[in-house]
Amino acid sequence: KFIKRDELDNRATLLIKWTFSTFVWTYWATLFGYAIFYCFGVKTLTPYHCLLSYAPLLTMEFRESRNTYYGPLGFISMRFLFDAPLITTGMILREVVGLRLFTPFASILDEDIVQGSMPFPSDVKTLVEKYNVKSVINMCGEYPGPKNHYKKYGVEQLWLPRVDTTVPYVSQLREGAKFIQRRKAEEPNARIFVHCKGGIARASCM
């Protein structure tokens, strides 16, 4: 469900992304579960540990609504068993293999706004040169963004962190709107890139 076809994808690249994502997610959850149980004296690794990969999906499924924020266990499930493997997979595929896990990367809405998925270090140059981006609103609580590369290319970022699959606070949306107004006054000919992980929910709210 998370893997969508990019315009440059073929069967081989889709297979690579699917295989790598499955491998990283399953093994990540298995080793995470093993580490926790090891702390409680259970030192045997069993096939049951891999069932922990379903924890974030169940966390999302049994939540009352998107307006309900996660408790401590839900937050841990989402941050360590959902965000961490997906970001790791996305980073390696993009920076090492040259493929993009989260697509589409960027969609031009108008002369002011570009909306998309999380950018990795190699994407910053593309944002600046192809999309004329000078400002970024990052809605990812799980990813601070490629700050060093933003600094290198003169891009200013506003980080408004929210947990994935939850709605932003109204105060964050207001802060984001003020940031857009300020940056458009400072850089009237440039665009603002608004993103979350997949560029679907939190970015759309903003």
Side-chain angles (χ1 to χ4, degrees), residues 44-98:
T44 303
L45 181 63
T46 72
Y48 294 106
H49 286 81
C50 71
L51 294 176
L52 203 60
S53 61
Y54 292 98
L57 304 180
L58 293 173
T59 300
M60 288 185 277
E61 181 66 25
F62 289 103
R63 187 175 48 156
E64 293 181 3
S65 72
R66 284 183 177 266
N67 293 322
T68 303
Y69 295 106
Y70 297 111
L73 290 179
F75 176 82
I76 291 172
S77 173
M78 293 299 295
R79 182 55 49 87
F80 293 101
L81 296 173
F82 184 76
D83 295 329
L86 280 178
I87 293 173
T88 300
T89 302
M91 177 75 78
I92 294 175
L93 284 175
R94 185 64 190 150
E95 300 301 302
V96 178
V97 185

Short mmCIF file of all heavy atoms in Angstrom, two decimals, residues 44-98:
data_model
loop_
_atom_site.label_atom_id
_atom_site.label_comp_id
_atom_site.label_asym_id
_atom_site.label_seq_id
_atom_site.Cartn_x
_atom_site.Cartn_y
_atom_site.Cartn_z
N THR A 44 15.77 -16.13 23.68
CA THR A 44 15.59 -16.98 22.51
C THR A 44 14.83 -16.21 21.42
O THR A 44 13.76 -15.65 21.67
CB THR A 44 14.79 -18.25 22.86
OG1 THR A 44 15.47 -18.95 23.89
CG2 THR A 44 14.66 -19.15 21.63
N LEU A 45 15.39 -16.18 20.21
CA LEU A 45 14.74 -15.51 19.08
C LEU A 45 13.82 -16.53 18.40
O LEU A 45 14.26 -17.60 17.99
CB LEU A 45 15.78 -15.00 18.09
CG LEU A 45 15.25 -14.27 16.85
CD1 LEU A 45 14.53 -13.00 17.26
CD2 LEU A 45 16.40 -13.94 15.90
N THR A 46 12.55 -16.19 18.29
CA THR A 46 11.56 -17.09 17.70
C THR A 46 10.84 -16.41 16.54
O THR A 46 10.89 -15.18 16.41
CB THR A 46 10.51 -17.54 18.73
OG1 THR A 46 9.66 -16.43 19.03
CG2 THR A 46 11.19 -18.02 20.02
N PRO A 47 10.14 -17.19 15.70
CA PRO A 47 9.37 -16.58 14.60
C PRO A 47 8.28 -15.63 15.09
O PRO A 47 7.83 -14.75 14.34
CB PRO A 47 8.76 -17.79 13.89
CG PRO A 47 9.67 -18.93 14.22
CD PRO A 47 10.16 -18.65 15.61
N TYR A 48 7.85 -15.78 16.33
CA TYR A 48 6.79 -14.94 16.86
C TYR A 48 7.23 -13.48 17.00
O TYR A 48 6.40 -12.58 17.03
CB TYR A 48 6.30 -15.47 18.22
CG TYR A 48 5.62 -16.81 18.13
CD1 TYR A 48 6.25 -17.96 18.56
CD2 TYR A 48 4.33 -16.91 17.60
CE1 TYR A 48 5.62 -19.20 18.46
CE2 TYR A 48 3.69 -18.14 17.51
CZ TYR A 48 4.35 -19.29 17.93
OH TYR A 48 3.72 -20.50 17.84
N HIS A 49 8.54 -13.26 17.10
CA HIS A 49 9.03 -11.89 17.23
C HIS A 49 8.65 -11.04 16.01
O HIS A 49 8.43 -9.84 16.12
CB HIS A 49 10.54 -11.87 17.43
CG HIS A 49 10.98 -12.30 18.79
ND1 HIS A 49 11.09 -13.62 19.17
CD2 HIS A 49 11.33 -11.59 19.89
CE1 HIS A 49 11.50 -13.71 20.41
NE2 HIS A 49 11.65 -12.48 20.88
N CYS A 50 8.59 -11.68 14.83
CA CYS A 50 8.31 -10.90 13.61
C CYS A 50 6.87 -10.40 13.58
O CYS A 50 6.54 -9.49 12.81
CB CYS A 50 8.61 -11.73 12.36
SG CYS A 50 7.45 -13.08 12.08
N LEU A 51 6.00 -10.97 14.44
CA LEU A 51 4.62 -10.50 14.50
C LEU A 51 4.54 -9.05 14.98
O LEU A 51 3.53 -8.38 14.77
CB LEU A 51 3.79 -11.40 15.42
CG LEU A 51 3.58 -12.83 14.94
CD1 LEU A 51 2.83 -13.63 16.00
CD2 LEU A 51 2.84 -12.87 13.61
N LEU A 52 5.62 -8.57 15.60
CA LEU A 52 5.63 -7.20 16.07
C LEU A 52 5.55 -6.19 14.93
O LEU A 52 5.21 -5.04 15.13
CB LEU A 52 6.89 -6.95 16.91
CG LEU A 52 6.83 -5.81 17.93
CD1 LEU A 52 5.71 -6.06 18.94
CD2 LEU A 52 8.16 -5.68 18.66
N SER A 53 5.85 -6.65 13.71
CA SER A 53 5.76 -5.75 12.56
C SER A 53 4.32 -5.30 12.31
O SER A 53 4.08 -4.29 11.63
CB SER A 53 6.31 -6.43 11.30
OG SER A 53 5.57 -7.60 11.01
N TYR A 54 3.34 -6.04 12.87
CA TYR A 54 1.94 -5.66 12.72
C TYR A 54 1.48 -4.67 13.78
O TYR A 54 0.36 -4.15 13.69
CB TYR A 54 1.04 -6.91 12.79
CG TYR A 54 1.21 -7.83 11.60
CD1 TYR A 54 2.02 -8.95 11.68
CD2 TYR A 54 0.56 -7.56 10.40
CE1 TYR A 54 2.17 -9.80 10.60
CE2 TYR A 54 0.70 -8.41 9.31
CZ TYR A 54 1.51 -9.53 9.42
OH TYR A 54 1.66 -10.36 8.35
N ALA A 55 2.31 -4.41 14.76
CA ALA A 55 1.90 -3.55 15.88
C ALA A 55 1.45 -2.15 15.43
O ALA A 55 0.39 -1.67 15.87
CB ALA A 55 3.03 -3.45 16.91
N PRO A 56 2.21 -1.45 14.57
CA PRO A 56 1.74 -0.11 14.19
C PRO A 56 0.45 -0.14 13.37
O PRO A 56 -0.37 0.78 13.47
CB PRO A 56 2.91 0.45 13.37
CG PRO A 56 3.68 -0.74 12.92
CD PRO A 56 3.53 -1.75 14.01
N LEU A 57 0.25 -1.19 12.58
CA LEU A 57 -0.97 -1.29 11.80
C LEU A 57 -2.17 -1.49 12.72
O LEU A 57 -3.24 -0.90 12.50
CB LEU A 57 -0.86 -2.46 10.81
CG LEU A 57 0.34 -2.41 9.87
CD1 LEU A 57 0.33 -3.61 8.94
CD2 LEU A 57 0.35 -1.12 9.07
N LEU A 58 -2.00 -2.31 13.76
CA LEU A 58 -3.07 -2.50 14.73
C LEU A 58 -3.29 -1.23 15.54
O LEU A 58 -4.43 -0.90 15.90
CB LEU A 58 -2.74 -3.68 15.64
CG LEU A 58 -2.71 -5.05 14.97
CD1 LEU A 58 -2.20 -6.11 15.94
CD2 LEU A 58 -4.09 -5.43 14.46
N THR A 59 -2.21 -0.51 15.84
CA THR A 59 -2.31 0.75 16.56
C THR A 59 -3.18 1.74 15.80
O THR A 59 -4.05 2.41 16.37
CB THR A 59 -0.91 1.35 16.80
OG1 THR A 59 -0.13 0.44 17.56
CG2 THR A 59 -1.01 2.68 17.54
N MET A 60 -2.97 1.83 14.49
CA MET A 60 -3.77 2.73 13.66
C MET A 60 -5.21 2.25 13.52
O MET A 60 -6.15 3.04 13.55
CB MET A 60 -3.12 2.87 12.28
CG MET A 60 -1.83 3.67 12.27
SD MET A 60 -1.18 3.91 10.60
CE MET A 60 -0.29 2.38 10.35
N GLU A 61 -5.37 0.94 13.37
CA GLU A 61 -6.69 0.37 13.12
C GLU A 61 -7.64 0.56 14.29
O GLU A 61 -8.83 0.83 14.11
CB GLU A 61 -6.56 -1.11 12.78
CG GLU A 61 -7.88 -1.80 12.47
CD GLU A 61 -8.53 -1.28 11.20
OE1 GLU A 61 -7.81 -0.77 10.32
OE2 GLU A 61 -9.77 -1.38 11.10
N PHE A 62 -7.13 0.40 15.51
CA PHE A 62 -8.00 0.43 16.68
C PHE A 62 -8.10 1.80 17.35
O PHE A 62 -8.67 1.92 18.43
CB PHE A 62 -7.55 -0.62 17.70
CG PHE A 62 -7.82 -2.03 17.25
CD1 PHE A 62 -6.79 -2.82 16.76
CD2 PHE A 62 -9.10 -2.55 17.28
CE1 PHE A 62 -7.04 -4.12 16.32
CE2 PHE A 62 -9.36 -3.84 16.85
CZ PHE A 62 -8.33 -4.63 16.36
N ARG A 63 -7.56 2.81 16.69
CA ARG A 63 -7.74 4.16 17.19
C ARG A 63 -9.13 4.66 16.81
O ARG A 63 -9.65 4.33 15.74
CB ARG A 63 -6.67 5.09 16.60
CG ARG A 63 -6.67 6.48 17.18
CD ARG A 63 -5.53 7.29 16.63
NE ARG A 63 -5.45 7.18 15.18
CZ ARG A 63 -4.89 8.10 14.39
NH1 ARG A 63 -4.36 9.17 14.92
NH2 ARG A 63 -4.84 7.94 13.09
N GLU A 64 -9.75 5.41 17.68
CA GLU A 64 -11.13 5.85 17.44
C GLU A 64 -11.25 6.73 16.20
O GLU A 64 -12.15 6.56 15.39
CB GLU A 64 -11.66 6.60 18.67
CG GLU A 64 -11.83 5.72 19.90
CD GLU A 64 -12.39 6.51 21.07
OE1 GLU A 64 -12.69 7.70 20.89
OE2 GLU A 64 -12.52 5.92 22.16
N SER A 65 -10.35 7.70 16.06
CA SER A 65 -10.39 8.58 14.90
C SER A 65 -9.04 9.27 14.77
O SER A 65 -8.18 9.17 15.65
CB SER A 65 -11.49 9.63 15.05
OG SER A 65 -11.14 10.60 16.02
N ARG A 66 -8.85 9.97 13.66
CA ARG A 66 -7.60 10.71 13.46
C ARG A 66 -7.46 11.88 14.44
O ARG A 66 -6.39 12.44 14.59
CB ARG A 66 -7.51 11.23 12.02
CG ARG A 66 -7.15 10.15 11.02
CD ARG A 66 -7.00 10.73 9.63
NE ARG A 66 -6.58 9.70 8.67
CZ ARG A 66 -5.32 9.48 8.34
NH1 ARG A 66 -4.37 10.19 8.90
NH2 ARG A 66 -5.02 8.55 7.47
N ASN A 67 -8.55 12.27 15.05
CA ASN A 67 -8.49 13.34 16.05
C ASN A 67 -8.05 12.82 17.42
O ASN A 67 -7.89 13.60 18.35
CB ASN A 67 -9.86 14.00 16.18
CG ASN A 67 -10.25 14.75 14.92
OD1 ASN A 67 -9.39 15.37 14.29
ND2 ASN A 67 -11.50 14.69 14.53
N THR A 68 -7.90 11.50 17.54
CA THR A 68 -7.44 10.89 18.79
C THR A 68 -5.94 10.71 18.72
O THR A 68 -5.43 10.02 17.84
CB THR A 68 -8.12 9.52 19.02
OG1 THR A 68 -9.53 9.68 19.02
CG2 THR A 68 -7.66 8.92 20.34
N TYR A 69 -5.21 11.33 19.62
CA TYR A 69 -3.76 11.23 19.61
C TYR A 69 -3.32 9.98 20.36
O TYR A 69 -4.00 9.51 21.27
CB TYR A 69 -3.14 12.49 20.22
CG TYR A 69 -3.42 13.72 19.41
CD1 TYR A 69 -4.34 14.66 19.83
CD2 TYR A 69 -2.79 13.92 18.18
CE1 TYR A 69 -4.63 15.78 19.06
CE2 TYR A 69 -3.06 15.03 17.40
CZ TYR A 69 -3.98 15.96 17.84
OH TYR A 69 -4.27 17.06 17.08
N TYR A 70 -2.19 9.46 19.96
CA TYR A 70 -1.70 8.21 20.53
C TYR A 70 -1.22 8.40 21.97
O TYR A 70 -0.62 9.42 22.31
CB TYR A 70 -0.55 7.66 19.68
CG TYR A 70 -0.94 7.30 18.28
CD1 TYR A 70 -0.48 8.04 17.20
CD2 TYR A 70 -1.78 6.22 18.03
CE1 TYR A 70 -0.83 7.72 15.90
CE2 TYR A 70 -2.14 5.89 16.73
CZ TYR A 70 -1.66 6.63 15.67
OH TYR A 70 -2.02 6.32 14.39
N GLY A 71 -1.44 7.36 22.78
CA GLY A 71 -0.88 7.32 24.12
C GLY A 71 0.57 6.89 24.05
O GLY A 71 1.13 6.72 22.96
N PRO A 72 1.21 6.68 25.21
CA PRO A 72 2.64 6.32 25.22
C PRO A 72 2.96 5.07 24.42
O PRO A 72 3.92 5.07 23.63
CB PRO A 72 2.92 6.12 26.72
CG PRO A 72 1.89 6.97 27.42
CD PRO A 72 0.67 6.90 26.56
N LEU A 73 2.19 4.00 24.58
CA LEU A 73 2.46 2.76 23.85
C LEU A 73 2.21 2.94 22.36
O LEU A 73 2.97 2.43 21.52
CB LEU A 73 1.61 1.62 24.40
CG LEU A 73 1.98 1.12 25.80
CD1 LEU A 73 1.05 0.00 26.23
CD2 LEU A 73 3.43 0.63 25.82
N GLY A 74 1.15 3.67 22.02
CA GLY A 74 0.87 3.93 20.62
C GLY A 74 1.96 4.76 19.97
O GLY A 74 2.35 4.51 18.82
N PHE A 75 2.45 5.74 20.71
CA PHE A 75 3.54 6.59 20.19
C PHE A 75 4.79 5.76 19.94
O PHE A 75 5.45 5.90 18.89
CB PHE A 75 3.84 7.71 21.18
CG PHE A 75 4.99 8.58 20.78
CD1 PHE A 75 4.82 9.61 19.86
CD2 PHE A 75 6.27 8.36 21.29
CE1 PHE A 75 5.89 10.41 19.48
CE2 PHE A 75 7.33 9.15 20.92
CZ PHE A 75 7.15 10.18 20.01
N ILE A 76 5.14 4.89 20.88
CA ILE A 76 6.32 4.03 20.73
C ILE A 76 6.16 3.11 19.52
O ILE A 76 7.07 2.92 18.72
CB ILE A 76 6.56 3.20 22.00
CG1 ILE A 76 7.00 4.12 23.14
CG2 ILE A 76 7.62 2.11 21.76
CD1 ILE A 76 7.09 3.43 24.49
N SER A 77 4.96 2.55 19.39
CA SER A 77 4.68 1.67 18.25
C SER A 77 4.86 2.40 16.93
O SER A 77 5.51 1.89 16.00
CB SER A 77 3.25 1.12 18.37
OG SER A 77 2.89 0.39 17.22
N MET A 78 4.32 3.60 16.83
CA MET A 78 4.40 4.35 15.58
C MET A 78 5.82 4.84 15.30
O MET A 78 6.30 4.74 14.17
CB MET A 78 3.44 5.53 15.63
CG MET A 78 1.97 5.14 15.66
SD MET A 78 1.46 4.21 14.20
CE MET A 78 1.68 5.43 12.92
N ARG A 79 6.47 5.34 16.32
CA ARG A 79 7.79 5.93 16.11
C ARG A 79 8.87 4.88 15.80
O ARG A 79 9.69 5.07 14.89
CB ARG A 79 8.18 6.75 17.34
CG ARG A 79 9.53 7.48 17.25
CD ARG A 79 9.65 8.38 16.04
NE ARG A 79 8.53 9.28 15.84
CZ ARG A 79 8.42 10.47 16.41
NH1 ARG A 79 9.36 10.90 17.23
NH2 ARG A 79 7.38 11.24 16.15
N PHE A 80 8.86 3.77 16.55
CA PHE A 80 9.94 2.79 16.41
C PHE A 80 9.63 1.64 15.45
O PHE A 80 10.56 1.01 14.94
CB PHE A 80 10.31 2.24 17.79
CG PHE A 80 10.92 3.25 18.70
CD1 PHE A 80 10.17 3.85 19.70
CD2 PHE A 80 12.24 3.63 18.55
CE1 PHE A 80 10.73 4.81 20.53
CE2 PHE A 80 12.81 4.59 19.37
CZ PHE A 80 12.05 5.19 20.37
N LEU A 81 8.35 1.35 15.23
CA LEU A 81 8.01 0.22 14.38
C LEU A 81 7.35 0.62 13.06
O LEU A 81 7.12 -0.23 12.20
CB LEU A 81 7.08 -0.74 15.14
CG LEU A 81 7.70 -1.39 16.37
CD1 LEU A 81 6.65 -2.18 17.14
CD2 LEU A 81 8.85 -2.30 15.98
N PHE A 82 7.06 1.89 12.90
CA PHE A 82 6.46 2.39 11.65
C PHE A 82 7.38 3.42 11.00
O PHE A 82 7.86 3.22 9.88
CB PHE A 82 5.09 2.99 11.94
CG PHE A 82 4.34 3.46 10.72
CD1 PHE A 82 3.74 2.54 9.88
CD2 PHE A 82 4.25 4.81 10.43
CE1 PHE A 82 3.05 2.97 8.75
CE2 PHE A 82 3.56 5.25 9.30
CZ PHE A 82 2.96 4.32 8.46
N ASP A 83 7.64 4.50 11.71
CA ASP A 83 8.46 5.58 11.15
C ASP A 83 9.90 5.13 10.87
O ASP A 83 10.42 5.36 9.78
CB ASP A 83 8.49 6.78 12.10
CG ASP A 83 7.13 7.42 12.25
OD1 ASP A 83 6.35 7.38 11.28
OD2 ASP A 83 6.84 7.96 13.33
N ALA A 84 10.53 4.52 11.87
CA ALA A 84 11.95 4.18 11.75
C ALA A 84 12.26 3.27 10.56
O ALA A 84 13.15 3.59 9.76
CB ALA A 84 12.45 3.56 13.06
N PRO A 85 11.56 2.14 10.39
CA PRO A 85 11.88 1.30 9.23
C PRO A 85 11.54 1.94 7.90
O PRO A 85 12.26 1.76 6.91
CB PRO A 85 11.07 0.02 9.47
CG PRO A 85 10.00 0.41 10.43
CD PRO A 85 10.57 1.48 11.28
N LEU A 86 10.45 2.71 7.84
CA LEU A 86 10.08 3.35 6.58
C LEU A 86 11.09 4.43 6.17
O LEU A 86 11.48 4.52 5.01
CB LEU A 86 8.68 3.96 6.69
CG LEU A 86 7.52 2.98 6.55
CD1 LEU A 86 6.19 3.72 6.72
CD2 LEU A 86 7.54 2.28 5.20
N ILE A 87 11.51 5.25 7.14
CA ILE A 87 12.48 6.29 6.83
C ILE A 87 13.83 5.68 6.45
O ILE A 87 14.50 6.13 5.52
CB ILE A 87 12.64 7.26 8.01
CG1 ILE A 87 11.34 8.04 8.22
CG2 ILE A 87 13.79 8.24 7.77
CD1 ILE A 87 11.34 8.91 9.46
N THR A 88 14.23 4.63 7.18
CA THR A 88 15.48 3.94 6.86
C THR A 88 15.44 3.38 5.45
O THR A 88 16.39 3.53 4.67
CB THR A 88 15.74 2.81 7.87
OG1 THR A 88 15.82 3.36 9.18
CG2 THR A 88 17.04 2.09 7.54
N THR A 89 14.33 2.73 5.10
CA THR A 89 14.17 2.18 3.77
C THR A 89 14.21 3.28 2.71
O THR A 89 14.91 3.17 1.70
CB THR A 89 12.84 1.42 3.65
OG1 THR A 89 12.80 0.37 4.62
CG2 THR A 89 12.68 0.81 2.26
N GLY A 90 13.47 4.35 2.96
CA GLY A 90 13.43 5.46 2.02
C GLY A 90 14.79 6.10 1.82
O GLY A 90 15.18 6.43 0.69
N MET A 91 15.51 6.28 2.92
CA MET A 91 16.84 6.90 2.85
C MET A 91 17.82 6.05 2.04
O MET A 91 18.53 6.56 1.16
CB MET A 91 17.38 7.13 4.27
CG MET A 91 18.78 7.70 4.33
SD MET A 91 18.87 9.45 3.93
CE MET A 91 18.29 10.17 5.47
N ILE A 92 17.86 4.74 2.33
CA ILE A 92 18.80 3.86 1.63
C ILE A 92 18.45 3.75 0.15
O ILE A 92 19.33 3.82 -0.71
CB ILE A 92 18.83 2.48 2.30
CG1 ILE A 92 19.40 2.59 3.72
CG2 ILE A 92 19.67 1.49 1.47
CD1 ILE A 92 19.36 1.30 4.50
N LEU A 93 17.16 3.56 -0.14
CA LEU A 93 16.76 3.45 -1.54
C LEU A 93 17.10 4.71 -2.32
O LEU A 93 17.55 4.65 -3.47
CB LEU A 93 15.26 3.17 -1.63
CG LEU A 93 14.80 1.75 -1.32
CD1 LEU A 93 13.28 1.66 -1.33
CD2 LEU A 93 15.38 0.75 -2.32
N ARG A 94 16.90 5.86 -1.70
CA ARG A 94 17.14 7.13 -2.40
C ARG A 94 18.63 7.46 -2.52
O ARG A 94 19.13 7.80 -3.60
CB ARG A 94 16.42 8.27 -1.68
CG ARG A 94 16.52 9.61 -2.41
CD ARG A 94 15.85 9.54 -3.74
NE ARG A 94 16.11 10.71 -4.56
CZ ARG A 94 16.15 10.68 -5.88
NH1 ARG A 94 15.99 9.54 -6.51
NH2 ARG A 94 16.37 11.78 -6.56
N GLU A 95 19.33 7.38 -1.40
CA GLU A 95 20.72 7.85 -1.36
C GLU A 95 21.72 6.82 -1.88
O GLU A 95 22.80 7.19 -2.33
CB GLU A 95 21.09 8.25 0.07
CG GLU A 95 20.23 9.36 0.65
CD GLU A 95 20.28 10.64 -0.16
OE1 GLU A 95 21.39 11.19 -0.34
OE2 GLU A 95 19.22 11.08 -0.63
N VAL A 96 21.38 5.54 -1.82
CA VAL A 96 22.32 4.49 -2.24
C VAL A 96 21.92 3.89 -3.59
O VAL A 96 22.75 3.75 -4.48
CB VAL A 96 22.41 3.37 -1.17
CG1 VAL A 96 23.34 2.26 -1.64
CG2 VAL A 96 22.87 3.94 0.16
N VAL A 97 20.63 3.55 -3.72
CA VAL A 97 20.17 2.86 -4.93
C VAL A 97 19.68 3.84 -6.00
O VAL A 97 19.70 3.54 -7.19
CB VAL A 97 19.06 1.84 -4.58
CG1 VAL A 97 18.65 1.02 -5.80
CG2 VAL A 97 19.52 0.92 -3.46
N GLY A 98 19.21 5.01 -5.57
CA GLY A 98 18.72 6.00 -6.51
C GLY A 98 17.24 5.88 -6.82
O GLY A 98 16.75 6.49 -7.77
#
